[in-house]
Amino acid sequence: MKIVSPYGFLFLGSLFLLGCRGNAPQQATDTLSSGTIRISADETFRPIIEEQKKVFDSSFPDAHITIQYKSESQCIQDFMNDSVRLVLVTRDLSANEKAVCEQKKVVPTTLAIAKDAVAVIVHKEAADSVFGIEELKGILTGSYKKKFTVVFDNQGSSTLRYMMDSILQDQPLGANVFAAKGNDSVLAYVAKNPDAIGFVGVSYVSDFSDPEGLAFTNSVRVAAIYNDSLQEYFKPYQAYIAPNYYPLTRNLFYINRETYPGLGTGFANFLAKERGQLIFKQARLFPLRTNIIFRDAQLNTR
């Protein structure tokens, strides 16, 4: 019988423990209020999310969130490629994307946290500043009686996708449609070109110095859009975004893949709770995770 040295058992035991340690999941290095992570956010919401981050950072100094502002399609790609755990976009995952997540044993959490509007902007001296949905469709396809140069923020933007899904409905874009380099570039282009029409997030045209929330930037004109059901024109004021009186409304979602209470979950919770919801309200979006009461009012002009 061959005798095995006890030191051999110790050596084999060490190898076994090392092997188990190598296959064990890495311990989380972040919490709800501390650590370092990267997230991706739709560039359309940069002003709002930057304000959210500033307040979050002041409340949790041990939290370090790097926000990558990208087109919506790039944000979703980051999420699907496991590059980030949290994205802020204007749509839920598609059925195919959810199936891929299921194959990867990923269970994403999606929540609508605010309602946004797509603002239609024209030059300050433009003759046309009211449009119906059919007119917008004609402008986007290039078949409208007046030839506009149509400008979006970028090719993979949520604004372009929204207009194609809700207005065009499988009709192709016209040769008069161009992509700029962000919402600021759309504003700058329309401000300089009388025959241009642009589509941007409402926060990019809101005048935040106006306490009543009824003023828009004076560099361009914000168009009113016709609501076929109510037979009335509406501008993207917060009170008209909330009940969908303004026709071009959409939701802002967070999609989170964390399986533990990490920093991504902490920031998502912040956006969905009182302080985050108040920031959305001040940014002229309509907060969806808080109770707001609307009352009819009459003005006495005597």
Side-chain angles (χ1 to χ4, degrees):
M1 180 182 296
K2 186 175 180 180
I3 299 176
V4 179
S5 167
Y7 296 106
F9 284 114
L10 290 175
F11 177 72
L12 291 173
S14 299
L15 289 177
F16 176 76
L17 290 174
L18 286 172
C20 291
R21 185 179 301 171
N23 294 326
Q26 293 183 349
Q27 187 173 359
T29 58
D30 58 295
T31 69
L32 291 171
S33 58
S34 66
T36 301
I37 63 168
R38 289 183 302 113
I39 71 172
S40 294
D42 186 336
E43 191 268 341
T44 304
F45 300 95
R46 181 192 291 264
I48 309 161
I49 303 306
E50 280 297 297
E51 187 64 26
Q52 296 276 13
K53 181 179 181 298
K54 182 165 64 174
V55 177
F56 184 82
D57 288 346
S58 66
S59 303
F60 306 105
D62 293 328
H64 306 285
I65 300 176
T66 299
I67 303 178
Q68 308 166 119
Y69 293 100
K70 302 182 176 184
S71 68
E72 182 177 75
S73 60
Q74 290 174 319
C75 291
I76 296 293
Q77 185 177 359
D78 285 347
F79 187 85
M80 299 304 296
N81 290 342
D82 306 332
S83 299
V84 295
R85 304 181 222 150
L86 177 71
V87 294
L88 301 170
V89 290
T90 65
R91 70 170 178 88
D92 195 357
L93 296 176
S94 67
N96 289 338
E97 289 162 348
K98 290 179 179 179
V100 172
C101 288
E102 186 175 352
Q103 292 174 359
K104 293 182 177 181
K105 309 298 183 184
V106 172
V107 183
T109 300
T110 303
L111 185 69
I113 49 180
K115 186 180 289 187
D116 179 43
V118 174
V120 182
I121 58 173
V122 294
H123 191 269
K124 286 193 296 185
E125 299 178 1
D128 296 329
S129 61
V130 293
F131 300 99
I133 296 300
E134 287 301 314
E135 290 174 309
L136 289 179
K137 185 182 296 185
I139 291 170
L140 290 168
T141 58
S143 61
Y144 189 59
K145 59 185 178 181
K146 178 182 177 181
K147 296 303 179 184
F148 282 98
T149 299
V150 183
V151 190
F152 285 91
D153 46 352
N154 57 66
Q155 291 182 347
S157 80
S158 59
T159 304
L160 176 58
R161 179 194 58 78
Y162 172 82
M163 296 301 293
M164 293 184 68
D165 290 349
S166 62
I167 304 299
L168 292 185
Q169 298 177 348
D170 297 331
Q171 292 189 41
L173 290 167
N176 59 322
V177 179
F178 299 92
K181 296 181 179 179
N183 286 268
D184 289 330
S185 297
V186 175
L187 284 169
Y189 186 88
V190 174
K192 295 178 180 178
N193 294 274
D195 294 328
I197 184 169
F199 297 84
V200 296
V202 69
S203 63
Y204 275 88
V205 295
S206 297
D207 182 356
F208 296 116
S209 65
D210 171 35
E212 300 299 326
L214 299 178
F216 295 113
T217 178
N218 59 12
S219 62
V220 295
R221 292 178 70 182
V222 176
I225 308 301
Y226 191 69
N227 184 313
D228 292 328
S229 299
L230 299 177
Q231 298 184 344
E232 190 174 346
Y233 287 95
F234 293 94
K235 287 191 175 184
Y237 295 126
Q238 199 171 47
Y240 298 151
I241 294 173
N244 295 328
Y245 291 172
Y246 181 74
L248 306 179
T249 61
R250 59 185 182 175
N251 288 342
L252 171 64
F253 297 88
Y254 75 65
I255 307 177
N256 183 21
R257 64 184 300 153
E258 285 187 347
T259 57
Y260 65 95
L263 187 53
T265 301
F267 189 56
N269 290 344
F270 176 84
L271 297 175
K273 292 184 179 178
E274 184 177 0
R275 282 190 294 170
Q277 291 289 286
L278 179 60
I279 293 170
F280 284 129
K281 178 178 178 294
Q282 293 170 337
R284 310 296 191 254
L285 273 69
F286 182 73
L288 291 174
R289 314 313 302 180
T290 188
N291 292 324
I292 295 180
I293 299 174
F294 287 90
R295 293 189 176 93
D296 293 330
Q298 292 183 344
L299 294 178
N300 188 350
T301 57
R302 290 184 298 173

